[in-house]
Amino acid sequence: MLRYAASIFLGLALASCGAIPAGREQARVEPRAVPHTGSLHREESSSCLAELGAGGSRFAPLPDRYYGAGCQTVDTVALSALMGDAGEFALSNLGPVTCPVANRFAGWARYGVDRAARQILGSALVRIETMGSYSCRNIAGSNRRSAHSRSEAIDVAAFVLADGRRISVKAGWDASREEREFLRTVHRSACKRFGTVLGPDYNSAHEDHFHLEQGDGSFCR
């Protein structure tokens, strides 16, 4: 009899070790939520895309991709054309850019570049030539990832006008008075929209392009 009672007691004790209190089983087995890792929340992303579309830009949202080592294309779009006061501007060699950068770029192209081209050079803008956007790399001479590694920067090399002229950053920075004035005007305009803007006066690595970066501050060189 004592052996039977001990057996029952042991069985109850073992059962109680594996028992889960009522209401806790779902919490124990539910997968851990993965936080949003993009730069924008869903509502902000939708608003940004709506603003980009309202400005007349032609684009396609891209899927989020993570490449490791701090490199990613998240909340990005593929821009195919931007709208000006009187027509579209073509783009060349531009990869994925984040939606906020795309919006700043669209505003700069319309109000900073096209209007300056017509006022200073007497011809409308028809194309912006870039040296790309996304690139998984560090800032030159450092161990820090470049904004390019997050699709938050664009390198602009030249501007093509309706009259056929091509104004490049490298050749035009110290060229005719009009070209110098035009390039310095669009450079200053970019500084009002982007957190970091680098050009030929910054260092030799930027003698052939403007580096336009979303940035958090106001660094204009």
Side-chain angles (χ1 to χ4, degrees), residues 58-154:
R58 284 198 284 132
F59 66 94
L62 298 173
D64 291 349
R65 297 190 183 281
Y66 301 87
Y67 301 99
C71 297
Q72 62 185 39
T73 54
V74 176
D75 297 321
T76 59
V77 299
L79 279 175
S80 55
L82 302 176
M83 181 59 71
D85 290 337
E88 285 188 341
F89 316 132
L91 301 169
S92 65
N93 198 41
L94 184 63
V97 293
T98 63
C99 184
V101 169
N103 266 312
R104 296 184 190 200
F105 190 63
W108 174 69
R110 180 171 188 170
Y111 302 113
V113 182
D114 181 46
R115 292 186 179 181
R118 286 186 279 119
Q119 292 170 7
I120 299 171
L121 301 174
S123 184
L125 176 71
V126 295
R127 185 171 73 250
I128 297 178
E129 297 181 357
T130 82
M131 298 171 70
S133 50
Y134 172 76
S135 179
C136 186
R137 67 174 189 258
N138 290 345
I139 297 172
S142 80
N143 294 321
R144 292 187 296 120
R145 282 300 189 197
S146 165
H148 287 288
S149 69
R150 302 182 300 276
S151 302
E152 294 178 352
I154 299 173

Side-chain angles (χ1 to χ4, degrees), residues 120-213:
I120 299 171
L121 301 174
S123 184
L125 176 71
V126 295
R127 185 171 73 250
I128 297 178
E129 297 181 357
T130 82
M131 298 171 70
S133 50
Y134 172 76
S135 179
C136 186
R137 67 174 189 258
N138 290 345
I139 297 172
S142 80
N143 294 321
R144 292 187 296 120
R145 282 300 189 197
S146 165
H148 287 288
S149 69
R150 302 182 300 276
S151 302
E152 294 178 352
I154 299 173
D155 288 341
V156 175
F159 309 91
V160 179
L161 309 182
D163 64 8
R165 279 181 290 173
R166 178 180 181 272
I167 313 299
S168 74
V169 174
K170 184 173 183 177
W173 194 251
D174 292 315
S176 68
R177 180 189 60 81
E178 286 187 340
E179 290 187 15
R180 293 199 308 270
E181 181 183 355
F182 167 72
L183 289 173
R184 283 160 176 77
T185 297
V186 300
H187 180 273
R188 288 193 299 270
S189 177
C191 292
K192 298 176 182 178
R193 293 179 180 273
F194 294 89
T196 298
V197 177
L198 307 176
D201 285 344
Y202 180 58
N203 60 19
S204 59
H206 295 83
E207 66 177 359
D208 59 354
H209 69 278
F210 293 148
H211 171 88
L212 312 179
E213 179 182 331

